[in-house]
């Protein structure tokens, strides 16, 4: 927590360990800006102004480089009131670096899978339990025009334009 001058009034041991692991030291009475690199001071000044002067609660992600490694944090900042007056701010910081890198890896894998599916010679599609298309590749879109001259879109019912035949009934059972 900080006071109205952005000086630390208290913090917990995990925060101290996190700060020290990045080569910094922290003490009660020290200003927030002493832990923030120069280009970030204006950002943090703006965040604390919004909390301390405007009474806003903030929830945001912030990244910073430490020893050549990008660290991604999620912060929650809230004003502290006493008798209706803002006397400081309290904050919660969570290291979300692992989540960030997992999200990036997932997006990369999804892009690779999409490219693989799109560039295969096979017809690829999927439907949900209501027979609606979830996804399909361009090769399948081409063949689908034989069954539905208007083409298909994600969300269309897979067998709506096809005559009910034993072939269609068989696919519905699979």
């Amino acid at each position: 927590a900080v006071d109205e001058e952005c000086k630390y009034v208290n913090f917990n041991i995990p925060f101290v360990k996190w700060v020290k692991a990045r080569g910094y030291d922290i003490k009660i009475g020290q200003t927030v800006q002493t832990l923030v690199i120069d280009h970030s001071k204006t950002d943090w000044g703006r965040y604390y102004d919004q909390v301390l002067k405007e009474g806003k609660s903030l929830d945001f992600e912030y990244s910073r480089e430490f020893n050549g490694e990008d660290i991604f944090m999620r912060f929650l900042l809230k004003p502290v009131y006493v008798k209706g007056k803002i006397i400081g701010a309290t904050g919660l910081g969570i290291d979300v670096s692992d989540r960030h890198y997992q999200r990036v890896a997932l997006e990369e894998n999804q892009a690779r899978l999409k490219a693989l599916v799109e560039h295969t010679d096979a017809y690829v599609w999927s439907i949900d339990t209501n027979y609606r298309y979830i996804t399909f590749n361009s090769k399948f879109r081409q063949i689908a025009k034989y069954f539905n001259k208007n083409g298909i879109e994600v969300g269309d019912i897979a067998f709506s334009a096809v005559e009910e035949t034993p072939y269609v009934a068989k696919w519905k059972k699979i």
Side-chain angles (χ1 to χ4, degrees):
V2 297
D3 64 14
E4 62 275 3
E5 295 173 357
C6 290
K7 292 181 181 175
Y8 288 107
V9 292
N10 67 12
F11 37 76
N12 61 13
I13 292 179
F15 180 66
V16 172
K17 287 180 180 179
W18 187 85
V19 169
K20 286 187 182 224
R22 280 142 186 86
Y24 295 93
D25 200 13
I26 186 169
K27 296 179 175 75
I28 298 292
Q30 183 177 353
T31 64
V32 170
Q33 284 81 3
T34 59
L35 293 179
V36 180
I37 54 179
D38 290 336
H39 72 273
S40 300
K41 288 182 180 179
T42 54
D43 292 339
W44 280 97
R46 189 175 65 250
Y47 296 144
Y48 277 109
D49 282 348
Q50 289 178 47
V51 174
L52 295 169
K53 295 178 181 175
E54 300 172 27
K56 290 184 178 179
S57 294
L58 302 179
D59 181 348
F60 60 95
E61 284 196 19
Y62 198 84
S63 63
R64 181 171 172 187
E65 184 181 327
F66 288 106
N67 299 327
E69 178 185 358
D70 288 330
I71 303 294
F72 296 86
M73 299 288 295
R74 178 173 179 204
F75 290 99
L76 305 169
L77 298 176
K78 295 190 173 284
V80 175
Y81 291 92
V82 171
K83 297 182 181 178
K85 181 184 176 208
I86 297 173
I87 61 153
T90 186
L92 171 69
I94 303 166
D95 188 335
V96 294
S97 298
D98 288 343
R99 186 179 333 160
H100 171 81
Y101 289 118
Q102 289 169 356
R103 183 175 61 233
V104 168
L106 178 61
E107 289 168 359
E108 289 171 354
N109 286 336
Q110 287 173 330
R112 281 193 291 273
L113 178 60
K114 184 177 180 178
L116 177 69
V117 167
E118 191 56 38
H119 294 96
T120 183
D121 287 335
Y123 301 103
V124 180
W125 73 98
S126 61
I127 59 173
D128 64 16
T129 57
N130 295 314
Y131 309 108
R132 294 188 183 279
Y133 289 112
I134 299 171
T135 189
F136 46 81
N137 66 357
S138 57
K139 185 94 172 168
F140 184 76
R141 183 187 292 268
Q142 289 172 350
I143 194 75
K145 287 183 181 177
Y146 291 112
F147 301 105
N148 184 345
K149 59 185 166 213
N150 296 325
I152 59 170
E153 297 296 329
V154 170
D156 287 353
I157 297 174
F159 301 108
S160 62
V162 178
E163 181 181 328
E164 190 69 36
T165 65
Y167 178 74
V168 171
K170 181 179 177 180
W171 272 99
K172 285 185 174 182
K173 287 181 184 177
I174 293 178

